[in-house]
């Protein structure tokens, strides 16, 4: 059960900003960290700090146990088949680039197709743009419905036998749209393509089962799910990862190095060159423990309720436009909006004066902004530590902002 006690686990929320209690509504950018994660990082650095896999001393063994233990927690969290399918890296962006540079370069040829959508984050656009240019491939887009969703009919029309990669966000970081990635994966596989899922906005909020989704790759970031910054995960099916080459070379990922040739370690370590992100993995493991204790089903239910309440209250503000699906059950806890002709940066600045933190800008989704026919938007994104009273404060702040700009202009 999600309740106000949850908020007490997050020390950063117990402060005032500009003389007002902090209302943090920017979790889609990065989530706040509970004491359980902070303590796990503190304990690691105070008691177990050592490099992993290399030493035989006690600290090295304990650090390795924590690091590989976190990998097993991730495996269970997304229901991967094997720990070998879990690669630790810097975040979702790094994961997408690894897929494009390793799998993409080996499997995409001139005239082949890569399919994405207009709602993608830049990290799920630019790697494919670069790969298409390098290989002479064709980058194709699935168009959106008027409400910011996608139709499977449109997917079937765009994906062909020439398609080698379909890459799609599970939950849009702007519209909050929850995409039918399982069904899209089936369409991709029917045409001989692999399915890549950007799970950055999904893993913190939904129960993930990569085997049930039948995706070939799934990427997410720790910092959006109560974990530290600088740690992320790439899941890939073992048979695909085994046939992929590393893109970073150096220590830790090697088996044997000769003067003129080298061989790589087995999975997953061949993709984890150099000293790995040990503390980040420890913190991510603690975050997973925290989220599991609360329950992902409860978190998803809470966020649907938050989105429904926010849309109901915000829609009463004259001149405020809300983007994305109108049905709260089709969207995650993200509400993106604009207020009249006021630039979203100005709206966000006025809200910040009342201690309310929202995002403003293009949200690393400029093609989507073009589709929406706006240059930027404001965004309120909710998480397990938010409540209806936070929405009430947001609505009050928006009404004050509207009055302020009406007086100015």
């Amino acid at each position: 059960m999600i309740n106000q006690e949850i908020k007490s686990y997050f020390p950063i929320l117990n402060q005032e900003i500009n003389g007002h209690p902090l209302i943090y509504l920017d979790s889609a950018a990065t989530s706040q960290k509970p004491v359980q994660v902070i303590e796990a990082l503190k304990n690691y650095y105070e008691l177990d700090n050592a490099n992993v896999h290399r030493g035989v001393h006690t600290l090295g063994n304990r650090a390795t146990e924590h690091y590989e233990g976190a990998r097993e927690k991730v495996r269970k969290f997304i229901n991967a088949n094997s720990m070998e399918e879990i690669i630790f890296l810097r975040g979702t962006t790094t994961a997408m680039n690894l897929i494009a540079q390793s799998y993409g370069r080996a499997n995409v040829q001139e005239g082949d197709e890569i399919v994405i959508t207009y709602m993608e984050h830049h990290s799920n656009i630019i790697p494919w743009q670069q790969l298409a240019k390098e290989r002479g491939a064709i980058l194709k887009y699935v168009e959106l419905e008027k409400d910011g969703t996608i139709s499977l009919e449109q997917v079937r029309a765009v994906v062909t036998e020439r398609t080698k990669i379909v890459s799609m966000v599970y939950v849009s970081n702007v519209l909050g749209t929850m995409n039918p990635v399982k069904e899209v994966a089936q369409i991709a596989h029917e045409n001989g393509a692999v399915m890549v899922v950007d799970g950055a906005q999904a893993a913190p909020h939904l129960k993930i089962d990569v085997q049930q989704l039948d995706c070939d790759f799934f990427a997410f970031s720790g910092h959006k799910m109560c974990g530290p910054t600088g740690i992320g995960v790439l899941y890939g099916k073992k048979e695909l990862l085994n046939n992929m080459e590393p893109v970073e070379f150096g220590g830790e990922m090697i088996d044997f190095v000769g003067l003129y040739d080298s061989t790589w370690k087995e999975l997953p370590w061949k993709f984890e060159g150099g000293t790995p992100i040990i503390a980040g993995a420890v913190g991510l493991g603690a975050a997973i423990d925290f989220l599991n204790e609360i329950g992902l089903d409860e978190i998803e239910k809470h966020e649907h309720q938050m989105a429904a309440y926010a849309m109901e209250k915000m829609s009463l503000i004259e001149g405020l436009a809300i983007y994305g699906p109108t049905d709260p059950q089709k969207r995650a806890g993200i509400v993106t909006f604009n207020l009249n002709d006021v630039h979203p940066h100005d709206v966000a600045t006025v809200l910040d004066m009342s201690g309310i933190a929202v995002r403003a800008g293009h949200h690393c989704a400029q093609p989507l902004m073009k589709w929406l026919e706006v240059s930027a938007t404001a965004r309120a994104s909710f998480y397990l530590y938010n409540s209806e009273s936070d929405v009430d404060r947001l609505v009050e702040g928006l009404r004050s902002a509207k009055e302020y700009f009406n007086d100015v202009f």
Side-chain angles (χ1 to χ4, degrees):
M1 177 70 71
I2 303 292
N3 54 46
Q4 275 299 94
E5 182 185 354
I6 296 294
K7 192 172 182 178
S8 67
Y9 292 126
F10 295 83
I12 198 171
L13 300 179
N14 186 31
Q15 63 174 301
E16 290 190 348
I17 299 294
N18 297 320
H20 300 273
L22 170 62
I23 302 297
Y24 186 76
L25 301 176
D26 195 20
S27 294
T30 194
S31 68
Q32 298 302 341
K33 321 306 175 192
V35 290
Q36 292 89 335
V37 171
I38 296 169
E39 285 298 315
L41 290 168
K42 180 173 179 287
N43 289 339
Y44 168 74
Y45 279 122
E46 287 186 348
L47 301 174
D48 301 318
N49 182 47
N51 219 322
V52 297
H53 302 144
R54 304 172 187 180
V56 294
H57 54 74
T58 298
L59 291 187
N61 288 335
R62 290 210 304 243
T64 300
E65 289 174 6
H66 289 313
Y67 182 70
E68 294 301 334
R71 197 188 308 274
E72 173 61 12
K73 290 179 182 180
V74 172
R75 185 200 69 76
K76 291 181 179 178
F77 186 70
I78 63 172
N79 193 33
N81 187 56
S82 166
M83 285 175 62
E84 295 172 296
E85 298 177 321
I86 305 300
I87 300 165
F88 285 131
L89 29 65
R90 194 164 56 86
T92 308
T93 298
T94 307
M96 291 299 176
N97 279 276
L98 192 158
I99 300 166
Q101 293 170 22
S102 182
Y103 181 87
R105 284 176 174 168
N107 291 278
V108 175
Q109 308 299 326
E110 185 175 358
D112 288 343
E113 300 168 351
I114 303 164
V115 173
I116 59 177
T117 80
Y118 285 118
M119 71 176 75
E120 303 307 320
H121 189 280
H122 291 166
S123 61
N124 198 27
I125 298 176
I126 301 171
W128 309 121
Q129 288 178 343
Q130 297 301 109
L131 178 63
K133 290 177 182 178
E134 177 184 325
R135 307 302 291 173
I138 302 166
L139 185 60
K140 299 172 66 176
Y141 285 82
V142 175
E143 295 185 5
L144 308 184
E145 301 295 297
K146 290 182 179 180
D147 64 349
T149 61
I150 65 167
S151 72
L152 295 177
E153 290 74 17
Q154 175 67 202
V155 174
R156 291 189 183 95
V158 175
V159 177
T160 74
E161 292 181 353
R162 295 292 299 172
T163 304
K164 291 295 186 290
I165 296 171
V166 178
S167 191
M168 181 177 294
V169 66
Y170 197 161
V171 174
S172 167
N173 73 311
V174 176
L175 303 173
T177 306
M178 300 171 63
N179 285 322
V181 293
K182 178 182 178 181
E183 291 77 8
V184 175
Q186 182 177 351
I187 295 170
H189 294 154
E190 288 171 355
N191 286 274
V194 299
M195 180 68 188
V196 180
V197 177
D198 172 357
Q201 300 294 341
H205 313 284
L206 311 174
K207 183 174 285 187
I208 303 298
D209 185 335
V210 292
Q211 295 189 68
Q212 192 265 343
L213 293 175
D214 197 24
C215 55
D216 299 286
F217 299 99
F218 188 98
F220 60 99
S221 300
H223 73 96
K224 296 182 188 291
M225 50 183 288
C226 297
T229 56
I231 180 72
V233 173
L234 171 62
Y235 157 82
K237 290 181 177 177
K238 184 177 177 180
E239 60 269 26
L240 296 176
L241 294 174
N242 268 328
N243 291 321
M244 289 166 54
E245 286 294 302
V247 296
E248 288 189 334
F249 304 94
E252 185 67 22
M253 50 76 64
I254 56 88
D255 178 35
F256 175 80
V257 175
L259 290 177
Y260 302 104
D261 200 11
S262 302
T263 56
W264 321 133
K265 275 186 179 178
E266 65 274 17
L267 291 174
W269 304 295
K270 74 173 183 178
F271 292 109
E272 295 179 0
T275 295
I277 313 162
I278 308 167
V282 170
L284 177 56
I288 287 174
D289 290 340
F290 176 75
L291 295 177
N292 282 337
E293 184 175 347
I294 296 166
L296 270 295
D297 289 335
E298 287 293 325
I299 293 172
E300 181 181 1
K301 178 182 176 182
H302 175 72
E303 292 183 8
H304 281 310
Q305 292 172 344
M306 290 294 299
Y309 185 75
M311 291 171 66
E312 176 188 352
K313 296 298 182 180
M314 293 170 68
S315 63
L316 299 177
I317 301 175
E318 186 178 352
L320 187 141
I322 296 175
Y323 305 102
T326 56
D327 182 354
Q329 294 304 311
K330 293 184 178 180
R331 65 191 297 155
I334 295 173
V335 179
T336 297
F337 60 93
N338 271 328
L339 182 61
N340 287 334
D341 295 324
V342 183
H343 196 283
H345 286 167
D346 294 329
V347 173
T349 299
V350 172
L351 290 174
D352 184 60
M353 292 169 60
S354 297
I356 304 167
V358 300
R359 198 70 163 184
H362 55 63
H363 314 293
C364 296
Q366 287 178 304
L368 181 55
M369 294 296 109
K370 183 178 180 181
W371 183 82
L372 291 171
E373 298 181 342
V374 297
S375 61
T377 63
R379 180 187 69 192
S381 51
F382 308 103
Y383 205 14
L384 70 167
Y385 38 67
N386 292 121
S387 64
E388 290 185 353
S389 63
D390 295 340
V391 175
D392 294 337
R393 282 275 308 277
L394 171 64
V395 171
E396 180 184 342
L398 288 170
R399 293 190 185 279
S400 297
K402 181 182 177 182
E403 292 176 6
Y404 172 78
F405 287 110
N406 283 342
D407 291 340
V408 170
F409 298 111

